[in-house]
Amino acid sequence: GEPIVSTSVYMEGKGYLEEPSEINEHYRNDVSIIVDDGIIRVDPSTVIDFTAEPPDIVRVGKGGIKGIL
């Protein structure tokens, strides 16, 4: 496998997991180590799919789209 580093965990149907104990409960059998640095509040980024024509705004979040599209 390859290392995965992430500051947030999104779980389909549950949204973002912020509690380290909840992340551990769901993923402890799938990863080698979980670093508990306390609760990190999620501020999702904007995601744009540029493979589509015209580009598709997948998610509006932190960072605007003004001047990009």
Side-chain angles (χ1 to χ4, degrees), residues 18 36 45:
E18 297 178 333
D36 181 350
S45 58

Side-chain angles (χ1 to χ4, degrees), residues 6-43:
S6 181
T7 57
S8 62
V9 176
Y10 182 80
M11 188 173 203
E12 192 68 38
K14 290 190 68 111
Y16 286 96
L17 303 181
E18 297 178 333
E19 294 283 343
S21 60
E22 188 176 21
I23 295 168
N24 184 52
E25 177 184 323
H26 288 283
Y27 293 100
R28 67 176 159 237
N29 295 324
D30 299 319
V31 297
S32 299
I33 187 171
I34 295 174
V35 177
D36 181 350
D37 195 30
I39 297 173
I40 300 173
R41 299 291 176 213
V42 176
D43 193 5

